[in-house]
């Protein structure tokens, strides 16, 4: 093992670490989405750094998207490789009157439903009679057959159509988050009545849409979570009572009531600190699936059908109400209008609607309804308003008096008679609260939960406790009989775990089920998960053979919990175990006793007797260490004590119990609704991908069509432009005008359905006529300025050439003068040398003696008069040349080349007419200007390098430097000073040469050293006085000393 601080990591570990780092960084930059998955509308909220809890807008800037998708038939017909155009939201509903068989609204109603013997499927078919609802053979669920495809095409699953809608929501969110954003994680709301089949169907749709579901959250809890984000509740640890509220949610698909407990709680924080967190817990939930906005709409539709069937026109045709209900276009128009009428009646006492071309485009119909009439028609639904509340109170074991308020949520809850019924149930209008956003509270709660799950975001700590909605248990077969055990109730907290024991010692299979009373087309105990063990038999045999376990003592257990992901029961782990007997001691304990690690209760032998057997030649250090390691009792032990310990060691080893555990390997397979085969799942994904590719092609085709239309309008303006006319001929303009007329007529005829390739060919043909003329027009406008700029550049280069030539001539003259001066100086030097040689005696006698000849010269000292006269007599060399002959040649050749090119092009251009293509382009002129500028800039850079002064020489390095930046004394520091300066009471020459008294230099030194230095200084001063008398030589010997 590497020592601490020097441990090395493998390349794989480093790679994995970097991968995790980049993954976490990408995750931090990604966004999360909360989706309120409603029957009629889908709403989404985005959480992203810089965008906290923002509603995702649709392409029409609306805050909610209609839950509908439509297939618009392709103009190319139908076929295996031809895909229709997909349209979403309100635009899809607008096509319901034209294509009622390919508009799929409110799909949540039939999600996760069996096809056979299902009232919900029958009701959906009655509302939308033109849709082809078929059975998905592989699963037995609902499927749709589209008229846009041939009969051999596989039907569309509800999950597949919902995946298209979720993809559209995700695309809107990505567009809102900005370019480069990734959105994958999502939390989706579901009704509390959703079964395992429906929850799995939602998850499957999200997976097909490329989304990863972090969690499913019930509608009521999502509203409560949003309610708690801006509030603080009583702390139950301090004796306060929690707040209990009921969320009544009535949407287009169903009505539900959820009782929530809001409270604060003090919990342990990091270290010794505590913190207060908020908790939102579901105490009970109830629902009524037949009470919904769609059900109220159906009341109005049935009334309209009855009154329309009673008109004289229909009677003349001999038709009845059932004939109208079977007509797809008529029902689509009536259903769409019923929603508007119901909403108007919530604020008005009466309303009306007019229809044209109903029933085979042959009849007109006017309909009028009052609020009183509507409430009379819906009287049977008024009685159902209290059903969810009673169910929730029963599950929570509470009464109405325990509720502090009723929080309203959902669009249908605004219906006047619904609110009246709620006021009558709770007994007071004061308890009815509208202090949350009835449309967006759930989606905000889902987005808040998504941000809380994602570690990239830090939000207010609110703990939520959801419930499964249904009871669940385990079932298995033993001794030929069916056994069951109830595990969780409908109010059990999601995340709760239970240990379940089974009397099996061989591999077996058991099933987890969900109790769903009255599930359409399914059993009352709906199986949801099948568990099969694989190593139980082998594990039991190992316990018996290796540990001596008896079959009666072996127990098999499984840990089962409610999944925090979807609230469904799941198996966490399984184990088989027994209590085996174990003797204390054995080989391992013997080795421990041998090395002195045995028990301290008497089974460890003393080592005192072994000390006499140590080798006499062992080192004293080893002997001493061995002796000191013994306890005091062993050093002075007597024979009786040793004999007693030996008897203890000979006793039988003690017996103890130990639990041996072996974990069970098992497989979990979803039960109930069959899963799609890998082949079927791959086929669906490929079809979705083909749809996406078709949409991208269609978008590009639309862009090409828009470009062609815009280009045709632009060409009309160009034909009237004076500049365009000046550079084109009359014949060409006539041809262009005719071509664009033909293209315009073609666009509004056969071209409306043309492919992108055909549109692009038309566009290229028109551009081939217009672009050359447009180019000549642009060049004619740009050319004069470009020629002027190039001519100015040529003039600048010419001036540069003249300057370089003048400097070159001056350089030649300077070199000649320097050469002449050098010759004269050489002649004078030779004459001086001959004269000095003829009289050496005089020079010897008159030469002064230099006592400092052995000292180094000061590099920074000023020159003497003698040296100056010598330097002045030396001839000065000529200055270095600024420009070379090659520089002059480069400038001249480039200027002449560009000038010749310009003259030739201008002459060629003068011969052309305005309607001819130009011989010289503005881009070519700009390129030539850049070429001239480059030559000049290169020459100037060379000149700057030649004339730059050389860097100053580095200062002469001293043997030692004062670290304090000057002659400052300090404790523990050596200070370089000149002895003469010290004697005069000054500091050294290091750093800033600051004056320093000797007392300042020595005050921080130890007392002994300070006395020594003071004696040396006194002696130095005496020597300095003597040195003044003996001359400068003695003084020089005192320099450069260290104190």
């Amino acid at each position: 093992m590497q020592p601490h601080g020097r441990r090395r990591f493998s390349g794989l570990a480093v790679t994995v670490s970097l991968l995790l780092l980049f993954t976490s960084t990408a995750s931090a930059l990604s966004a999360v989405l909360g989706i309120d998955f409603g029957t009629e509308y889908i709403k989404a909220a985005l959480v992203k750094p810089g965008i906290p809890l923002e509603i995702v807008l649709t392409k029409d800037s609306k805050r909610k998207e209609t839950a509908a998708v439509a297939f618009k038939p392709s103009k190319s017909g139908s076929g295996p490789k031809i895909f229709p155009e997909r349209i979403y939201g309100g635009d899809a509903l607008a096509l319901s009157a034209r294509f009622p068989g390919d508009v799929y609204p409110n799909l949540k109603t039939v999600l996760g439903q069996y096809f056979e013997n299902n009232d919900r499927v029958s009701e959906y078919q009655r509302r939308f009679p033109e849709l082809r609802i078929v059975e998905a053979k592989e699963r037995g669920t609902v499927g749709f057959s589209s008229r846009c495809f041939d009969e051999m095409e596989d039907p569309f699953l509800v999950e597949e159509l919902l995946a298209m809608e979720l993809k559209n929501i995700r695309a809107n969110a990505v567009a809102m988050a900005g370019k480069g954003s990734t959105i994958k994680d999502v939390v989706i709301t579901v009704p509390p009545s959703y079964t395992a089949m429906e929850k799995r169907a939602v998850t499957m749709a999200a997976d097909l849409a490329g989304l990863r579901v972090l969690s499913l959250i019930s509608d009521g809890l999502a509203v409560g979570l949003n309610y708690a984000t801006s509030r603080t509740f009583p702390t139950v640890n301090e004796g306060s009572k929690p707040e209990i509220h009921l969320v009544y949610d009535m949407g287009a698909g169903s009505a539900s009531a959820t009782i929530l407990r809001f409270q604060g709680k003090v919990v342990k924080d990091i270290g010794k600190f505590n913190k207060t967190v908020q908790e939102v817990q579901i105490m009970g939930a109830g629902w009524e699936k037949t009470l919904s906005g769609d059900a109220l709409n159906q009341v109005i539709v049935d009334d309209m059908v009855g009154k329309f069937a009673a008109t004289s026109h229909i009677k003349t045709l001999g038709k009845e109400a059932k004939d109208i209900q079977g007509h797809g276009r008529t029902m689509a128009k009536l259903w769409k209008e019923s929603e508007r009428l119901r909403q108007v009646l919530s604020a008005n006492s009466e309303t009306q609607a007019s229809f044209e071309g109903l029933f085979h485009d042959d009849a007109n119909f006017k309909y009028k309804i009052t609020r009183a009439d509507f409430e009379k028609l819906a009287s049977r639904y008024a009685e159902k308003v209290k059903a969810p509340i009673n169910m929730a109170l029963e599950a929570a074991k509470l009464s109405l008096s325990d509720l502090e308020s009723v929080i309203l949520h959902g669009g249908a809850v605004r219906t006047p008679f619904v609110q009246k019924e709620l006021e009558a149930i709770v007994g007071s209008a004061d308890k009815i609260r509208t202090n949350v956003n009835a449309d967006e509270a759930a989606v905000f709660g889902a987005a808040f939960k998504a941000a809380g799950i994602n570690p990239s975001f830090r939000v207010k700590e609110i703990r939520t406790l959801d419930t499964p909605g249904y009871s669940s248990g385990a079932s298995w077969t033993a001794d030929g009989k069916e056994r069951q055990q109830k595990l969780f109730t409908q109010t059990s907290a999601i995340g709760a775990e239970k240990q379940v024991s089974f009397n099996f010692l061989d591999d077996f299979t058991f099933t987890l089920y969900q109790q769903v009373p009255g599930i359409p087309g399914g059993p009352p105990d709906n199986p949801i998960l099948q568990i099969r063990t694989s190593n139980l038999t082998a594990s039991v045999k190992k316990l018996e053979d290796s540990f001596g376990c008896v079959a009666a003592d072996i127990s098999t257990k499984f840990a089962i919990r409610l999944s925090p992901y979807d609230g469904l029961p799941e198996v966490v782990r399984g184990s088989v175990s027994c209590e085996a007997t174990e003797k204390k001691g054995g080989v391992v304990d013997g080795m421990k006793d041998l090395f002195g690690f045995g028990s301290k209760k008497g089974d460890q032998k003393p080592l005192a007797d072994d000390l006499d057997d140590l080798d006499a030649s062992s080192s004293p250090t080893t002997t001493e260490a061995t002796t000191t390691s013994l306890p005091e009792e062993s050093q002075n032990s007597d024979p009786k004590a040793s004999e007693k310990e030996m008897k203890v060691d000979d006793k039988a080893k003690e017996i103890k119990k130990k639990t041996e555990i072996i974990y069970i390997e098992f497989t979990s397979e979803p039960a109930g609704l069959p899963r799609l085969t890998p082949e079927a799942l791959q086929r669906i994904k490929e079809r979705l991908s083909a749809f996406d590719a078709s949409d991208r092609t269609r978008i590009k085709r639309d862009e090409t069509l828009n470009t062609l239309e815009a280009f045709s309008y632009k060409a009309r303006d160009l034909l009237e432009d004076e500049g365009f006319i000046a550079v084109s001929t009359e014949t060409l303009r006539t041809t262009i005008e005719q071509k664009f007329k033909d293209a315009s007529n073609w666009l509004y005829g056969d071209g409306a359905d043309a492919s992108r390739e055909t549109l692009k060919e038309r566009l290229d043909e028109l551009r081939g006529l217009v672009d050359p003329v447009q180019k000549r027009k642009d060049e004619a406008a740009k050319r004069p300025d470009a020629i002027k700029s190039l001519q100015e550049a040529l003039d600048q280069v010419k001036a540069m050439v003249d300057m370089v030539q003048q400097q070159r001539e001056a350089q030649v003259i300077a070199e000649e003068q320097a050469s002449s001066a050098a010759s004269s100086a050489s002649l004078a030097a030779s004459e001086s040398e001959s004269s000095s040689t003829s009289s050496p005696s005089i020079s010897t006698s008159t030469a002064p003696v230099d006592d400092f000849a052995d000292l180094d010269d000061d590099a920074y000292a000023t020159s003497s008069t003698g040296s100056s006269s010598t330097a002045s007599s030396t001839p000065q060399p000529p200055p270095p040349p600024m420009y070379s002959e090659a520089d002059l040649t480069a400038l001249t050749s480039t200027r002449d080349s560009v000038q010749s090119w310009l003259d030739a092009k201008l002459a060629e251009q003068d011969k052309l007419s305005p309607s001819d293509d130009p011989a010289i382009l503005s881009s070519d002129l700009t390129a030539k200007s850049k070429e001239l500028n480059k030559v000049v800039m290169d020459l100037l850079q060379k000149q700057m390098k030649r004339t730059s002064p050389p860097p100053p020489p580095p200062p002469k390095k001293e043997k030692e430097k004062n670290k304090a930046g000057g002659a400052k004394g300090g404790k523990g520091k050596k200070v370089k000073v000149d002895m003469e300066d010290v004697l005069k009471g000054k500091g050294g020459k290091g750093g800033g040469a600051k004056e320093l008294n000797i007392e300042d230099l020595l005050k921080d030194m130890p007392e002994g050293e300070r006395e020594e230095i003071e004696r040396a200084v006194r002696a130095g001063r005496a020597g300095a006085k003597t040195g003044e008398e003996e001359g400068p030589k003695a003084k020089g010997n005192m320099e450069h000393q260290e104190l």
Side-chain angles (χ1 to χ4, degrees):
M1 179 178 176
Q2 295 286 347
H4 293 291
R6 300 184 62 183
R7 188 172 302 174
R8 297 182 179 180
F9 299 94
S10 64
L12 178 61
V14 175
T15 304
V16 172
S17 300
L18 291 175
L19 179 62
L20 292 176
L21 174 63
F22 294 138
T23 303
S24 62
T25 304
S27 176
L29 296 177
S30 65
V32 294
L33 206 60
I35 295 180
D36 181 11
F37 181 48
T39 301
E40 185 179 7
Y41 295 101
I42 299 178
K43 296 174 279 291
L46 177 68
V47 180
K48 179 181 179 290
I51 305 179
L53 289 178
E54 188 71 23
I55 288 290
V56 176
L57 302 179
T58 67
K59 295 179 181 179
D60 301 330
S61 298
K62 296 180 179 179
R63 297 178 69 86
K64 56 184 178 181
E65 185 76 278
T66 303
V69 58
F71 294 160
K72 187 177 181 180
S74 174
K75 301 296 178 61
S76 303
S78 61
K81 294 185 179 180
I82 300 176
F83 290 88
E85 178 183 354
R86 290 183 298 184
I87 301 175
Y88 302 97
D91 295 338
L93 281 184
L95 295 176
S96 59
R98 294 176 56 194
F99 309 104
D102 282 303
V103 178
Y104 307 96
N106 301 11
L107 290 171
K108 185 179 177 182
T109 306
V110 292
L111 178 64
Q113 298 295 317
Y114 288 107
F115 177 77
E116 294 291 343
N117 303 321
N118 197 324
D119 294 337
R120 299 180 68 178
V121 177
S122 301
E123 182 67 20
Y124 188 83
Q125 181 71 82
R126 189 169 77 92
R127 293 173 182 172
F128 309 103
E130 199 72 15
L131 293 177
R132 294 180 178 178
I133 302 179
V134 297
E135 181 180 6
K137 298 298 183 182
E138 294 182 350
R139 310 180 71 202
T141 56
V142 176
F144 293 91
S145 178
S146 173
R147 291 177 175 83
C148 295
F149 296 88
D150 55 29
E151 298 294 335
M152 301 302 295
E153 185 71 19
D154 294 327
F156 289 86
L157 299 179
V158 179
E159 294 87 342
E160 186 176 359
L161 296 175
L162 284 176
M164 297 179 186
E165 297 181 17
L166 292 177
K167 272 192 173 184
N168 177 57
I169 295 293
R170 180 186 181 186
N172 294 338
V174 170
M176 179 178 176
K179 187 177 180 180
S181 300
T182 58
I183 299 178
K184 191 173 179 123
D185 297 337
V186 62
V187 170
I188 303 178
T189 65
V190 293
S193 61
Y194 254 28
T195 63
M197 293 189 302
E198 292 167 318
K199 289 182 178 180
R200 287 174 178 170
V202 171
T203 304
M204 178 182 172
D207 179 66
L208 291 174
L211 296 171
R212 180 177 59 189
V213 180
L214 298 176
S215 175
L216 299 178
I217 182 173
S218 63
D219 292 330
L221 183 60
V223 175
L225 183 57
N226 176 252
Y227 181 80
T229 53
S230 58
R231 291 170 173 83
T232 301
F233 303 101
T235 305
V236 294
N237 305 65
E238 300 173 354
S240 301
K241 292 184 178 180
E243 295 183 11
I244 299 177
H245 301 268
L246 184 143
V247 176
Y248 195 89
D249 185 7
M250 184 175 174
S254 64
S256 64
T258 306
I259 298 178
L260 301 174
R261 179 168 62 192
F262 299 88
Q263 63 186 22
K265 181 180 288 187
V266 179
V267 298
K268 185 174 178 58
D269 200 1
I270 300 174
K272 299 181 180 180
F273 299 96
N274 295 331
K275 62 179 179 180
T276 302
V277 299
Q278 307 300 311
E279 288 186 350
V280 183
Q281 179 181 356
I282 294 182
M283 302 182 67
W287 53 83
E288 177 56 60
K289 294 182 180 180
T290 61
L291 177 63
S292 62
D294 281 355
L296 299 181
N297 294 343
Q298 189 63 48
V299 169
I300 299 177
V301 170
D302 291 341
D303 187 54
M304 287 191 292
V305 169
K307 291 183 178 180
F308 182 52
T311 60
S312 58
H313 180 75
I314 299 299
K315 287 182 178 180
T316 303
L317 295 175
K319 301 297 181 180
E320 299 178 355
K322 63 179 181 179
D323 298 319
I324 299 174
Q325 292 173 348
H327 192 263
R329 293 187 177 182
T330 300
M331 292 302 295
K333 292 181 180 180
L334 296 179
W335 180 263
K336 182 180 178 181
E337 192 65 17
S338 66
E339 172 74 14
R340 186 190 69 82
L341 293 173
R342 181 174 61 83
Q343 293 178 356
V344 172
L345 288 176
S346 297
N348 299 275
S349 58
E350 63 177 24
T351 185
Q352 63 182 5
S354 299
F355 302 92
E356 296 180 357
L358 284 181
F359 200 66
H360 302 290
D361 301 331
D362 204 17
N364 298 330
F365 175 60
K366 288 185 178 181
Y367 176 75
K368 183 178 181 180
I369 186 173
T370 64
R371 181 188 295 179
D373 295 336
F374 170 66
E375 293 179 354
K376 184 177 180 180
L377 293 172
S379 59
R380 66 182 184 273
Y381 292 104
E383 300 174 357
K384 297 182 179 183
V385 173
K386 62 182 179 181
I389 299 177
N390 294 336
M391 184 178 177
L393 290 172
E394 182 181 356
K397 295 180 175 56
L398 297 174
S399 62
L400 285 172
S401 60
D402 297 323
L403 303 178
E404 295 193 19
S405 70
V406 176
I407 302 172
L408 302 183
H409 186 265
V413 80
R414 298 186 179 95
T415 307
F417 79 84
V418 174
Q419 294 192 4
K420 289 180 181 178
E421 290 293 329
L422 290 174
E423 292 176 3
I425 292 170
V426 299
S428 172
D430 297 336
K431 280 192 174 184
I432 304 297
R433 301 282 179 86
T434 57
N435 49 4
V436 299
N437 190 325
D439 289 325
E440 299 175 352
V443 68
F444 281 134
F448 187 88
K449 185 173 181 64
I453 296 175
N454 193 307
S456 304
F457 302 97
R458 184 177 180 181
V459 298
K460 178 182 178 181
E461 188 171 359
I462 302 176
R463 300 181 179 180
T464 58
L465 294 176
D466 209 337
T467 57
Y470 297 97
S471 301
S472 57
S475 63
W476 65 93
T477 302
D479 300 329
K481 296 182 180 180
E482 290 292 333
R483 310 284 185 179
Q484 283 189 348
Q485 181 176 348
K486 190 174 181 180
L487 302 178
F488 303 100
T489 65
Q490 61 180 349
T491 58
S492 297
I494 286 180
E497 182 177 311
K498 286 189 176 182
Q499 296 286 338
V500 182
S501 299
F502 293 90
N503 295 325
F504 286 98
L505 301 182
D506 295 322
D507 288 312
F508 72 107
T509 301
F510 67 96
T511 303
L512 299 179
Y513 64 87
Q514 192 177 55
Q515 289 183 338
V516 184
I519 181 173
D525 292 341
N526 183 26
I528 58 177
L529 197 65
Q530 189 176 63
I531 295 89
R532 180 178 290 105
T533 64
S534 58
N535 70 332
L536 178 58
T537 304
S539 300
V540 171
K541 183 173 176 37
K542 183 177 180 181
L543 289 175
E544 293 175 344
D545 296 345
S546 300
F547 303 101
C549 295
V550 182
D553 297 334
I554 298 176
S555 62
T556 304
K557 293 182 180 180
F558 282 89
I560 303 175
R561 71 170 179 179
L562 292 174
S563 172
Y565 170 73
D566 54 11
L568 300 179
E570 63 178 0
V571 177
V572 180
R573 61 188 173 275
S575 64
V576 58
S577 61
C578 74
E579 287 190 353
T581 58
E582 180 187 18
K583 285 188 176 182
K584 186 176 180 181
V587 178
V588 176
D589 289 337
M591 294 299 294
K592 290 182 178 180
D593 292 341
L594 178 61
F595 290 102
F597 296 106
S599 173
K600 297 182 180 180
K601 296 182 180 179
D603 60 341
Q604 183 174 353
K605 296 180 180 180
L607 300 180
D609 297 339
D610 297 337
L611 293 177
D612 298 337
D613 298 334
L614 293 174
D615 190 359
S617 62
S618 61
S619 63
T621 304
T622 305
T623 305
E624 182 181 356
T626 305
T627 304
T628 56
S629 66
L630 295 174
E632 295 181 2
E633 294 84 2
S634 64
Q635 296 182 13
N636 301 320
S637 62
D638 53 19
K640 292 183 179 181
S642 178
E643 182 179 358
K644 184 177 181 181
E645 291 175 358
M646 291 294 292
K647 290 180 179 180
V648 172
D649 184 62
D650 292 338
K651 289 183 178 180
K653 300 294 182 180
E654 296 180 2
I655 306 300
K656 69 175 184 179
K657 295 285 186 178
K658 181 180 180 181
T659 302
E660 299 293 340
I661 300 175
I662 299 177
Y663 289 102
I664 300 175
E665 297 177 1
F666 60 90
T667 57
S668 298
E669 184 71 19
L673 189 66
R675 298 180 63 182
L676 284 175
T677 62
E679 296 77 12
L681 187 62
Q682 182 64 27
R683 185 175 64 251
I684 291 176
K685 290 183 177 180
E686 289 176 355
R687 184 160 61 179
L688 288 174
S689 300
F691 258 113
D692 294 339
S694 176
D695 287 345
R696 288 192 294 269
T697 303
R698 177 181 53 81
I699 291 173
K700 291 181 179 179
R701 186 256 179 199
D702 292 343
E703 291 176 353
T704 306
L705 176 62
N706 295 334
T707 303
L708 180 57
E709 289 180 342
F711 195 73
S712 63
Y713 289 117
K714 178 182 177 182
R716 296 174 186 174
D717 297 336
L718 288 176
L719 292 174
E720 300 175 359
D721 184 71
E722 295 181 359
F724 190 87
I725 296 173
V727 294
S728 61
T729 62
E730 182 66 27
T731 304
L732 180 60
R733 291 195 297 274
T734 302
T735 303
I736 292 175
E737 184 177 6
Q738 185 61 39
K739 288 287 185 182
F740 273 97
K741 285 183 179 179
D742 296 341
S744 179
N745 295 332
W746 176 78
L747 279 176
Y748 296 103
D750 298 336
D753 302 327
S755 63
R756 179 173 179 264
E757 290 73 17
T758 305
L759 294 171
K760 194 172 184 304
E761 290 176 2
R762 286 273 187 167
L763 181 61
D764 293 341
E765 180 184 3
L766 296 177
R767 280 180 171 172
L769 295 174
V770 175
D771 287 352
V773 182
Q774 185 66 31
K775 184 177 181 181
R776 291 196 294 269
K777 174 189 172 184
D778 296 340
E779 288 295 329
K782 297 177 182 178
R783 192 182 306 117
D785 293 338
I787 293 175
K788 181 179 179 182
S789 300
L790 181 58
Q791 195 61 56
E792 291 175 353
L794 285 169
D795 295 340
Q796 293 175 358
V797 173
K798 184 178 182 302
M800 186 75 175
V801 169
D802 295 340
M803 182 190 70
V804 172
Q805 287 178 344
Q806 294 175 3
Q807 291 188 0
R808 288 294 300 161
E809 293 173 358
Q811 181 68 26
V812 172
I813 296 174
E815 290 176 353
E816 292 177 353
Q817 293 177 352
S819 177
S820 176
S823 300
S824 302
S826 176
L827 180 59
S830 61
E831 292 177 356
S832 174
E833 181 180 358
S834 61
S835 62
S836 62
T837 306
S838 61
S839 54
S841 59
I842 299 175
S843 301
T844 304
S845 61
T846 59
V849 178
D850 188 3
D851 294 335
F852 300 95
D854 57 341
L855 298 179
D856 294 335
D857 294 333
D858 190 352
Y860 301 99
T862 57
S863 302
S864 63
T865 307
S867 62
S868 298
S869 62
T870 304
S872 63
S873 63
T874 303
Q876 297 292 331
M882 296 182 64
Y883 300 103
S884 64
E885 190 65 29
D887 297 336
L888 182 60
T889 303
L891 273 177
T892 305
S893 60
T894 304
R895 182 201 63 182
D896 296 342
S897 173
V898 174
Q899 185 66 58
S900 301
W901 176 84
L902 179 60
D903 295 339
K905 289 294 183 181
L906 289 177
E908 187 178 351
Q909 181 65 35
D910 292 339
K911 298 177 183 179
L912 301 176
S913 65
S915 59
D916 294 330
D917 291 336
I920 180 171
L921 300 177
S922 59
S923 59
D924 297 336
L925 294 169
T926 303
K928 291 296 182 180
S929 299
K930 290 182 178 179
E931 181 181 351
L932 293 174
N933 291 334
K934 184 177 183 303
V935 173
V936 173
M937 291 304 297
D938 291 344
L939 188 60
L940 292 176
Q941 289 179 0
K942 289 181 180 179
Q943 178 190 2
M944 292 175 63
K945 292 180 180 178
R946 290 171 181 166
T947 58
S948 298
K956 204 169 184 180
K957 291 185 178 180
E958 297 180 0
K959 189 174 181 181
E960 291 185 11
K961 271 190 176 179
N962 179 17
K963 295 182 181 178
K968 294 181 180 180
K971 188 174 182 180
K973 298 181 181 179
K974 289 186 177 181
V975 185
K976 179 112 177 174
V977 296
D978 187 274
M979 176 57 75
E980 183 177 3
D981 293 336
V982 172
L983 298 178
K984 293 180 180 179
K986 296 181 179 180
K989 297 180 180 179
K994 183 179 178 180
E995 288 192 1
L996 181 68
N997 292 327
I998 191 64
E999 289 78 13
D1000 295 332
L1001 181 66
L1002 303 178
K1003 66 180 180 179
D1004 292 330
M1005 289 186 177
E1007 183 176 357
E1009 294 181 7
R1010 186 170 63 249
E1011 293 176 356
E1012 228 175 288
I1013 295 300
E1014 288 174 352
R1015 286 196 299 269
V1017 170
R1018 286 194 296 270
R1021 287 175 177 170
K1025 186 176 181 180
T1026 306
E1028 291 177 358
E1029 299 173 355
E1030 292 180 358
K1033 189 172 182 179
K1035 175 183 176 182
N1037 292 333
M1038 303 269 312
E1039 291 180 349
H1040 308 294
Q1041 297 188 26
E1042 260 187 15
L1043 295 180

